[in-house]
Amino acid sequence: MRSNATQSTRLNRWIEQFTGVFDIPPEVALGVPKTTWVGRRQLQIENHQGIVEYTSRKIRVRTAMGQLVVTGSRLKIGSIFGGEIVIDGQITGVELLES
Amino acid sequence: MNRNMRKERRPFAGHIVVQVKGPRLEAFLNRCAEEGLYLWNVSRPAFNMLIVHMEPDGYRLLRGIAREHGWQLHIVERSGMSFVLRRLLRRKSFVAGAFCAMIIWYALSLHVWFVDVEGVDRVDANEVLLLAAEAGLFPGALRSRLDREYVQRSILIGNEDLVWAAVEVRGTRATIRVAERKLPEHVRSDRPGHIVAARDGVIERISVIEGHAVVEPGMTVRKGEVLISGLLEPGSQAFLDKLEAGELPYIHADGMVLARVWYEAVIELSPEPTESTDAARVRAESLVLEQVQALMAAESASEVGMPWLESVWDDESNVWRVRALWEAEVDIGQFLPIDP
């Protein structure tokens, strides 16, 4: 179990170096999410792995790094298509819960 | 489905608003994303209810997803061209009306509905219309049945005072352009006088009936110049007789003087809103040629050679200036009386 984890981190570090050399966007190579926060009103998440919870005060989204928790009020899903989700509303907090 | 792809929406596709009811609505959203559906404006007004906007095309797929887990769908709103069209198509009489309107429009466009006459002065326009109607050009006539050449000939044959006629059909409007014969001035044949040139020209041929020619073929004459003189030969018997009788020693000169002259017509024409500049030029050129032909016909001139066309586009005033020159042979003799 432990060795497995170190192996995967070593692999990831190696991929990070690789992508750095070849200028490949890491979200493409590693499958990590790319999050764009526009002011207080909009949060765009690319490369997510599904919605875990959706209410008007809290939206939890699963990603490769863990759960991304968006809190606020009057939260809405502006659009959802493939691995991309846009959250609109009064966003007060974004938190990453490592799995 | 390609991930991280922003969906391009088709224009005029419209959208539908769907209400989704059931448990575990997060799973519903994830399933939709997996299937490649594009949803927007997703709101969750209640724990067991979602309102989503989507493309009408995706609804069939959405229904399949909903059936899997027992989510209930309800379309709240439709918008877009296809829905409007479908609603209109459901109204039978409306469709029938639109269809009828199209047929009527087409049927009306097959006919000539207006007939105009241009270029009449002495001749009654109604007479020209009557002649045209007899030849098949009247309001309501089928355009395809119309024989323009025949109408033109019938008008010329029907009225002696007309020397030229052209029929032009544009859309549902037909225009008959005619030229009237110029009446010779009636002069007493015993009135003394000369034959003078009515216009500039080069003399081609002279036939003297009375008097004596003072110009020869090949000579260039100016307007007003004497061509056939009515002056009696000084010292001749007739000359002396006239003087003895107390009259001027002139007779009534008569004859025909054929000369080469130029006929010119100039028009300015701006393109119509639906017309290209080139099309306007072609139209202007045919119009100006018609005009020059009408001028020649009115004086019974016979054309020589080909016409000369000059077209200049004026960018400022947005018009074509077209000039036509045509050489012709015509009797330029005009009687000029000498008053005692």
Side-chain angles (χ1 to χ4, degrees):
Chain A
M1 209 45 203
R2 208 184 144 86
S3 65
N4 244 348
T6 48
Q7 231 173 18
S8 88
T9 41
R10 205 177 293 158
L11 180 69
N12 278 357
R13 208 170 296 145
W14 189 82
I15 292 175
E16 260 168 46
Q17 279 177 354
F18 182 82
T19 57
V21 170
F22 290 100
D23 221 9
I24 296 169
E27 75 270 15
V28 175
L30 294 171
V32 293
K34 179 183 174 186
T35 310
T36 314
W37 197 355
V38 186
R40 280 181 189 286
R41 310 230 55 134
Q42 196 180 65
L43 190 76
Q44 298 166 11
I45 307 163
E46 289 170 38
N47 259 348
H48 73 86
Q49 291 170 348
I51 302 164
V52 180
E53 185 188 352
Y54 168 34
T55 67
S56 63
R57 307 197 67 87
K58 188 198 256 179
I59 296 179
R60 287 195 287 150
V61 178
R62 193 166 64 241
T63 73
M65 293 149 58
Q67 272 187 21
L68 201 65
V69 183
V70 182
T71 48
S73 57
R74 294 192 301 278
L75 294 183
K76 279 175 70 181
I77 295 176
S79 75
I80 175 167
F81 176 67
E84 182 179 324
I85 181 168
V86 177
I87 295 166
D88 290 326
Q90 198 69 29
I91 297 162
T92 53
V94 178
E95 197 183 350
L96 185 69
L97 297 181
E98 299 236 27
S99 50
Chain B
M1 233 330 127
N2 202 349
R3 288 164 80 86
N4 297 329
M5 196 177 75
R6 211 170 273 273
K7 175 81 174 165
E8 297 275 338
R9 298 212 52 222
R10 276 186 297 121
F12 307 117
H15 69 265
I16 54 176
V17 182
V18 184
Q19 186 194 63
V20 190
K21 276 180 154 178
R24 301 205 319 112
L25 291 167
E26 287 87 358
F28 171 82
L29 288 175
N30 291 334
R31 284 288 295 126
C32 287
E34 268 170 41
E35 295 291 340
L37 279 172
Y38 177 55
L39 308 178
W40 70 93
N41 257 348
V42 181
S43 59
R44 191 172 192 178
F47 187 73
N48 61 346
M49 184 164 94
L50 272 181
I51 305 275
V52 302
H53 288 59
M54 66 178 299
E55 288 169 329
D57 292 357
Y59 187 69
R60 195 178 290 267
L61 190 56
L62 192 79
R63 211 167 42 187
I65 295 167
R67 232 173 247 156
E68 288 170 25
H69 295 93
W71 288 302
Q72 290 172 311
L73 299 182
H74 181 65
I75 295 178
V76 184
E77 187 190 311
R78 300 163 198 266
S79 82
M81 285 293 280
S82 57
F83 293 116
V84 173
L85 215 63
R86 216 171 291 166
R87 213 171 303 149
L88 287 179
L89 284 176
R90 218 172 289 150
R91 289 155 62 179
K92 296 264 171 8
S93 52
F94 176 84
V95 175
F99 191 64
C100 281
M102 251 146 52
I103 287 179
I104 290 170
W105 190 349
Y106 177 67
L108 288 179
S109 72
L110 293 175
H111 298 258
V112 170
W113 291 112
F114 307 97
V115 182
D116 300 331
V117 179
E118 279 177 16
V120 283
D121 183 23
R122 283 176 287 114
V123 178
D124 188 9
N126 287 326
E127 200 182 322
V128 178
L129 286 176
L130 209 65
L131 286 167
E134 278 169 14
L137 174 57
F138 49 88
L142 268 176
R143 287 196 310 183
S144 54
R145 291 268 181 81
L146 198 62
D147 183 352
R148 284 170 46 218
E149 302 263 318
Y150 177 66
V151 175
Q152 291 169 8
R153 247 180 296 131
S154 302
I155 291 169
L156 293 184
I157 292 167
N159 194 316
E160 280 282 289
D161 287 333
L162 299 178
V163 290
W164 175 84
V167 174
E168 187 193 21
V169 182
R170 277 175 73 82
T172 58
R173 182 175 294 272
T175 308
I176 306 170
R177 268 192 289 274
V178 294
E180 294 176 347
R181 191 185 300 283
K182 277 198 183 153
L183 288 181
E185 288 166 57
H186 288 285
V187 269
R188 288 198 334 269
S189 59
D190 57 340
R191 205 169 173 195
H194 302 300
I195 295 284
V196 298
R199 56 196 303 162
D200 299 356
V202 180
I203 306 298
E204 193 81 3
R205 191 148 46 86
I206 300 192
S207 325
V208 180
I209 297 167
E210 288 284 350
H212 63 273
V214 292
V215 288
E216 281 172 16
M219 279 175 70
T220 304
V221 293
R222 292 243 153 241
K223 184 180 176 180
E225 205 173 304
V226 176
L227 304 173
I228 302 174
S229 172
L231 178 67
L232 288 164
E233 205 180 318
S236 69
Q237 192 56 46
F239 182 82
L240 294 173
D241 285 352
K242 281 272 185 186
L243 285 185
E244 264 176 35
E247 292 174 30
L248 289 168
Y250 289 99
I251 54 162
H252 178 92
D254 200 1
M256 199 175 73
V257 186
L258 271 183
R260 290 278 177 101
V261 300
W262 287 95
Y263 283 89
E264 184 188 26
V266 183
I267 66 163
E268 285 189 1
L269 188 138
S270 48
E272 283 181 18
T274 56
E275 203 176 33
S276 72
T277 315
D278 246 12
R281 181 178 53 79
V282 172
R283 195 157 62 86
E285 284 171 351
S286 69
L287 272 175
V288 81
L289 279 179
E290 273 185 9
Q291 277 187 12
V292 97
Q293 274 181 314
L295 284 175
M296 295 194 300
E299 294 180 9
S300 310
S302 46
E303 70 240 24
V304 176
M306 299 290 288
W308 175 262
L309 270 179
E310 204 176 58
S311 309
V312 180
W313 171 252
D314 188 336
D315 230 358
E316 262 169 45
S317 42
N318 212 38
V319 292
W320 276 106
R321 285 208 183 81
V322 182
R323 195 163 78 112
L325 279 173
W326 208 333
E327 199 180 4
E329 240 175 44
V330 67
D331 180 9
I332 60 165
Q334 186 184 37
F335 184 75
L336 179 76
I338 296 167
D339 287 309

